[in-house]
């Protein structure tokens, strides 16, 4: 028998196996040991529909999601629009997350943002003082509803506004100054206040803006026809502010003898110092500027033979900017030493002019120098003019007021130095006859002996002011009290040469030796360099505050011609003393220094640059430094640097460190 092919054998085996498996009755199959029963599940889904109202878009249009799905949506406003909220959600956020538990419809709501145009903040400060108002106008578009305002240092209110719903219009707000911020003795000249302005449109969208109001005290000179003392008194704030400004700017507290004007001089001075300085709004922009003659001195502190120009510093945005003076085609005037510059409207044109009291050389040959008028034409053609006052020469002081009450300013100052007896100083009145014509006014003063020289000898300072508040201008003069021990003074003027005195004016605007009051003498301090007249204690009566320095009227012998013979007590530059005098109902002047001031006597002689405690003090000012309603006294050197402040402690003025 032949062997079957291998593939046939395999076919037989496969066929037999198939037949046997289809016979279930003959085959036992064991059940599985583990059984998983999976029930049938139905998934629920929801649809979210997302849309954007006019003025914006959304991050998704929505879709269908399983139950419980969180869908994030962001609303984005178009330019000029703002997001208001959701229709279908209480959330105020522009991005929300919605958990789907039902079919949901969400709409992003947008509204038109109100468009307000704020005026540009000016580069210069508003000249505003307490109680002053400033109107500010704004334009708007996009629908108006309300305006809300707030400010820290002033009151603001809407004084004119469009009707609700107007698409365009103008809004005017008014700011009233309550406090001039940061005007104190330690910080800045002027301050700022931020007005918070919240504009709301018809769609209840708001725009919050800040508008900065920059303030400073009232213009120093508002009435240029006031007496020079009244202008000078209101200038105190500016003088103090200048010191604050420069100290803050240059941090200049060490080399105090060089003065506060050293950063100002543009003419090459090696030692900058200026007695002649005036503050006034020269260019009529509402800000007080500086007109100054910075005395030319060498490094040793001595005067030189070199005359120099006046200088102008315009106030711009918190700084004093040196400005070249246009003299209208004339050569710039030059003087050696302007001892004092006063301000007044001497041509009655409404702007401030200047009168410069020019001493001349303070070294041999001691040639005098004529006073001069500086004519303000700045707002006409941008120039300053110059006119020599040919009747006043070798001056140490000057003052002005409407002496005869005819509506213009008259002048009191030194007369001719060379033509006076003993080559001394005389003083005269000068009548304003218009056109800067000020001739000698011969009938104002009526001395007992017909010669007023002896009464004007050695005057350092003068002011025309109504001291007793009777409506008449009075004349206050002070100087070298030690002069009255000279034999020529004793022989000719009853020992009153150089004595501080007040000549009381009458209804005829005339003065007489018969009608005067003498200021009390202070031993060892026989030279009066400055004074102020103010009601210190608020009782309605003025006090006379005098700054004094060395010159001993007791130890200084008649036979001596040199004040420094007794240098221990008579040194002109040694020590300082603040004297406070009261005026009684009979026009008697009574020294109340001890009762009203402490720590005011520094009598040890020294060079005036060596020690601030004993140095030569030339200026006395009275001002409310802290703004607390009480006055302070402060003193400064010839360089004008404030050295001491006397504060009122409830019973006396007590010296404090500056």
């Amino acid at each position: 028998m032949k062997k079957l092919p291998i593939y046939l054998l395999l076919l037989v085996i496969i066929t037999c196996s198939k037949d046997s498996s289809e016979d279930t009755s003959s085959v036992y199959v064991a059940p599985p040991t583990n059984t998983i029963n999976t029930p049938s599940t139905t998934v629920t889904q929801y649809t979210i529909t997302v849309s954007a109202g006019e003025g914006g878009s959304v991050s998704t249009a929505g879709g269908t999601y399983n139950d419980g799905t969180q869908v994030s949506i962001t609303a984005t406003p178009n330019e000029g629009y703002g997001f208001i909220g959701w229709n279908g959600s209480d959330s105020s956020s522009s991005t929300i997350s919605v958990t789907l538990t039902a079919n949901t419809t969400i709409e992003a709501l947008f509204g038109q943002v109100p468009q307000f145009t704020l005026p540009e903040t000016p580069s210069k400060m508003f000249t505003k003082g307490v109680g002053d108002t400033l109107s500010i106008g704004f334009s708007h578009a996009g629908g108006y509803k309300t305006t809300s305002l707030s400010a820290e240092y002033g009151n603001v209110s809407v004084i004119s506004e469009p009707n609700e719903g107007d698409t365009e219009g103008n809004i005017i707000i008014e700011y009233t100054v309550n406090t001039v911020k940061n005007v104190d003795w330690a910080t800045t000249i002027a301050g700022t206040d931020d007005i918070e302005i919240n504009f709301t449109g018809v769609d209840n969208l708001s725009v919050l803006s800040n508008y900065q109001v920059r303030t400073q005290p009232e213009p120093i000179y508002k009435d240029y026809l006031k007496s020079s003392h009244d202008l000078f008194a209101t200038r105190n704030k500016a003088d103090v502010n200048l010191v604050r400004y420069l100290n803050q700017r240059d941090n200049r507290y060490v080399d105090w003898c060089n003065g506060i004007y050293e950063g100002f001089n543009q003419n090459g001075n090696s030692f900058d110092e200026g007695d002649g300085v005036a503050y006034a709004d020269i260019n009529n922009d509402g800000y007080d500027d500086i007109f100054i003659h910075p005395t030319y001195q060498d490094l040793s502190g001595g005067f030189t033979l070199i005359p120099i120009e006046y200088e102008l510093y315009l106030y711009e945005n918190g700084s004093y900017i040196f400005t070249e003076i246009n003299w209208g085609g004339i050569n710039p005037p030059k003087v050696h030493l302007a001892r004092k510059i006063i301000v007044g409207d001497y041509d009655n044109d409404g702007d401030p002019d200047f009168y410069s009291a020019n001493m001349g050389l303070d070294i041999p040959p001691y040639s005098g120098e004529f006073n001069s008028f500086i004519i303000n034409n700045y707002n006409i053609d941008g120039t300053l003019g110059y006119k020599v006052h040919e009747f006043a020469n070798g001056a140490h002081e000057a003052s002005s007021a409407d002496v005869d009450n005819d509506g213009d300013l008259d002048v009191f100052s030194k007369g001719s130095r060379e033509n006076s007896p003993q080559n001394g100083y005389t003083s005269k009145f000068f009548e304003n006859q218009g056109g800067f014509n000020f001739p000698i006014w011969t009938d104002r003063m009526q001395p007992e002996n017909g010669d007023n020289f002896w009464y004007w000898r050695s005057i350092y300072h003068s002011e025309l002011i109504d001291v007793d508040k009777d409506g008449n201008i009075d004349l206050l003069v002070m100087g070298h009290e030690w002069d009255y021990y000279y034999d020529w003074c004793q022989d000719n003027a009853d020992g009153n040469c150089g004595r501080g005195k007040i000549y009381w004016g009458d209804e005829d605007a005339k003065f007489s030796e018969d009608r005067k009051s003498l200021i009390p003498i202070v031993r060892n301090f026989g030279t009066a360099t400055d004074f102020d007249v103010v009601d210190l204690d608020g009782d309605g009566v003025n006090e006379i505050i005098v700054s004094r320095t060395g010159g001993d009227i007791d130890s200084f012998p008649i036979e001596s011609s040199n004040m420094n013979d007794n240098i221990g007590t008579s040194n002109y530059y040694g020590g300082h003393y603040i004297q406070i005098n009261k005026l009684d109902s009979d026009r008697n002047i009574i020294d109340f220094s001890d009762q009203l001031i402490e720590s005011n006597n520094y009598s040890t002689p020294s060079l005036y640059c060596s020690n601030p405690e004993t140095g030569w003090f030339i200026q006395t000012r009275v001002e409310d430094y802290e703004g607390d309603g009480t006055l302070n006294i402060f003193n400064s050197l010839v360089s004008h640097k404030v050295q001491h402040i006397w504060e009122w402690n409830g019973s006396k003025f007590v010296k404090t460190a500056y």
Side-chain angles (χ1 to χ4, degrees):
M1 177 175 174
K2 295 182 177 179
K3 292 184 179 179
L4 294 173
I6 188 78
Y7 69 89
L8 292 176
L9 179 61
L10 291 172
L11 179 61
V12 172
I13 295 171
I14 292 170
T15 302
C16 292
S17 296
K18 179 179 178 180
D19 292 342
S20 63
S21 65
E22 291 177 350
D23 188 1
T24 60
S25 62
S26 59
V27 181
Y28 172 78
V29 181
T33 56
N34 297 306
T35 303
I36 300 176
N37 298 315
T38 304
S40 176
T41 302
T42 300
V43 178
T44 303
Q45 294 186 321
Y46 298 105
T47 298
I48 182 170
T49 301
V50 183
S51 62
E54 181 182 358
S57 61
V58 288
S59 58
T60 178
T64 301
Y65 302 90
N66 290 341
D67 183 20
T69 300
Q70 290 185 338
V71 180
S72 180
I73 310 168
T74 298
T76 304
N78 298 334
E79 185 176 357
Y81 287 81
F83 175 73
I84 295 178
W86 301 95
N87 188 4
S89 174
D90 294 331
S91 177
S92 60
S93 174
S94 61
T95 297
I96 60 174
S97 181
V98 179
T99 302
L100 294 180
T101 58
N103 292 328
T104 303
T105 299
I106 293 288
E107 181 183 16
L109 303 177
F110 304 94
Q112 192 172 12
V113 177
Q115 303 296 314
F116 291 89
T117 303
L118 285 80
E120 182 179 355
T121 300
S123 60
K124 296 180 179 181
M125 296 183 180
F126 295 114
T127 305
K128 296 295 177 183
V130 174
D132 287 340
T133 60
L134 176 68
S135 295
I136 308 170
F138 307 89
S139 60
H140 88 91
Y144 177 78
K145 190 172 184 178
T146 60
T147 303
S148 61
L149 307 163
S150 62
E152 184 176 0
Y153 298 100
N155 296 325
V156 285
S157 60
V158 177
I159 61 175
S160 178
E161 62 183 340
N163 296 320
E164 183 175 343
D166 286 355
T167 57
E168 295 182 351
N170 295 306
I171 306 163
I172 300 176
I173 69 173
E174 185 175 81
Y175 175 86
T176 302
V177 182
N178 287 341
T179 304
V180 179
K181 181 186 176 184
N182 289 339
V183 179
D184 59 29
W185 67 273
T187 55
T188 61
I189 293 175
T192 61
D193 195 6
D194 289 326
I195 302 176
E196 189 174 88
I197 308 169
N198 195 29
F199 301 114
T200 303
V202 293
D203 293 323
N204 291 323
L205 291 176
S206 299
V207 175
L208 183 63
S209 299
N210 284 321
Y211 187 81
Q212 189 177 76
V213 178
R214 312 179 73 181
T215 61
Q216 70 174 19
E218 297 180 5
I220 302 302
Y221 300 104
K222 283 192 169 182
D223 183 357
Y224 301 109
L225 289 176
K226 289 181 177 179
S227 83
S228 57
H229 177 271
D230 292 336
L231 294 175
F232 186 76
T234 56
R235 184 196 91 181
N236 291 355
K237 179 73 76 174
D239 200 10
V240 175
N241 284 338
L242 178 62
V243 175
R244 298 168 188 159
Y245 169 75
L246 292 175
N247 285 344
Q248 180 181 343
R249 185 192 71 175
D250 297 334
N251 195 27
R252 213 165 335 118
Y253 290 100
V254 180
D255 193 13
W256 55 268
C257 193
N258 283 346
I260 66 171
Y261 301 125
E262 62 200 80
F264 281 64
N265 192 294
Q266 306 293 319
N267 294 308
N269 292 14
S270 55
F271 186 94
D272 297 334
E273 171 181 293
D275 291 340
V277 58
Y279 304 81
D281 183 8
I282 296 171
N283 56 356
N284 197 34
D285 65 351
Y287 313 101
D288 294 301
D289 311 299
I290 296 173
F291 185 77
I292 184 174
H293 184 261
T295 306
Y296 195 105
Q297 298 186 341
D298 61 28
L299 289 175
S300 65
F303 295 99
T304 73
L305 296 171
I306 304 174
I308 61 172
E309 302 175 19
Y310 297 91
E311 295 179 355
L312 174 62
Y313 296 84
L314 297 180
Y315 186 75
E316 296 184 6
N317 197 25
S319 297
Y320 293 96
I321 307 300
F322 174 74
T323 304
E324 291 284 352
I325 299 176
N326 182 353
W327 290 103
I330 66 174
N331 292 327
K334 297 181 179 182
V335 298
H336 290 91
L337 179 56
R339 280 293 191 184
K340 186 178 181 182
I341 300 176
I342 58 176
V343 178
D345 185 7
Y346 297 107
D347 56 357
N348 249 359
D349 65 350
D351 59 19
D353 309 299
F354 305 99
Y355 186 80
S356 182
N358 301 326
M359 176 124 176
L361 291 176
D362 205 24
I363 58 175
Y366 296 106
S367 59
E369 205 158 37
F370 286 104
N371 293 358
S372 56
F373 289 98
I374 308 298
I375 306 168
N376 186 7
N377 297 317
Y378 209 91
N379 295 307
I380 299 175
D381 56 10
T383 68
L384 297 181
Y386 179 80
K387 183 179 181 180
V388 172
H389 190 197
E390 63 272 18
F391 301 107
N393 176 272
H396 208 298
E397 53 72 46
S399 54
S400 65
D402 186 4
V403 176
D404 54 357
N405 199 30
D406 64 349
D408 57 24
L409 291 175
D410 310 298
V411 170
F412 177 86
S413 187
K414 294 293 186 182
S416 174
R417 179 175 183 171
E418 286 83 2
N419 297 326
S420 304
Q422 286 84 33
N423 197 31
Y425 302 81
T426 60
S427 297
K428 292 182 174 65
F429 284 93
F430 302 93
E431 183 183 11
N432 189 346
Q433 296 185 353
F436 290 95
N437 182 26
F438 285 73
I440 296 174
W441 210 358
T442 58
D443 64 344
R444 290 303 95 188
M445 190 69 195
Q446 300 171 338
E448 291 176 328
N449 60 3
D451 184 0
N452 71 359
F453 163 71
W454 303 109
Y455 303 96
W456 302 137
R457 173 95 185 168
S458 298
I459 291 176
Y460 249 22
H461 197 53
S462 72
E463 290 296 350
L464 290 165
I465 178 179
D466 184 6
V467 179
D468 57 356
K469 301 181 180 180
D470 67 347
N472 300 318
I473 295 293
D474 308 308
L475 173 64
L476 199 161
V477 295
M478 301 195 75
H480 282 313
E481 293 180 344
W482 47 263
D483 264 357
Y484 84 75
Y485 267 94
Y486 280 118
D487 53 0
W488 46 257
C489 180
Q490 293 291 319
D491 294 340
N492 293 276
D494 298 328
N496 288 328
C497 301
R499 286 288 305 275
K501 58 183 79 73
I502 300 176
Y503 293 97
W504 303 105
D506 60 15
E507 59 275 6
D508 296 323
K510 293 187 177 182
F511 306 89
S512 172
E513 283 291 325
D514 296 329
R515 197 170 57 256
K516 69 175 184 293
S517 298
L518 296 177
I519 294 177
I521 293 170
V522 178
R523 304 297 178 186
N524 301 319
F525 296 93
T527 300
T529 58
D530 190 31
F531 54 82
D532 202 356
V533 179
V534 66
D535 182 6
L536 269 177
D537 52 10
D539 63 354
V541 179
N542 283 326
E543 278 76 46
I544 300 101
I545 301 94
V546 183
S547 179
R548 294 180 172 276
T549 187
D552 190 342
I553 60 174
D554 283 340
S555 300
F556 190 64
I558 297 175
E559 62 271 14
S560 175
S561 61
N562 186 355
M563 59 175 286
N564 292 312
D565 281 355
N566 299 286
I567 189 113
T569 55
S570 302
N571 184 9
Y572 176 67
Y573 299 106
H576 74 272
Y577 185 90
I578 294 179
Q579 179 189 20
I580 301 180
N581 304 282
K582 283 183 170 290
L583 186 67
D584 69 14
S585 58
D586 296 322
R587 288 176 171 170
N588 297 311
I589 302 174
I590 305 168
D591 191 330
F592 272 79
S593 302
D594 291 341
Q595 291 89 337
L596 291 176
I597 193 167
E598 292 180 347
S599 305
N600 65 316
N601 184 347
Y602 299 95
S603 59
T604 302
S606 69
L607 294 176
Y608 69 89
C609 287
S610 63
N611 189 335
E613 291 293 326
T614 61
W616 183 33
F617 283 70
I618 196 170
Q619 288 188 326
T620 298
R621 302 286 184 271
V622 180
E623 183 59 55
D624 182 5
Y625 266 92
E626 291 83 12
D628 58 0
T630 60
L631 294 174
N632 306 99
I633 304 170
F634 64 94
N635 239 313
S636 64
L637 286 159
V638 66
S639 55
H640 297 269
K641 172 102 177 181
V642 172
Q643 294 298 305
H644 297 128
I645 300 174
W646 283 264
E647 297 180 346
W648 182 252
N649 69 356
S651 59
K652 283 190 175 183
F653 289 91
V654 178
K655 185 177 77 93
T656 62
Y658 179 73

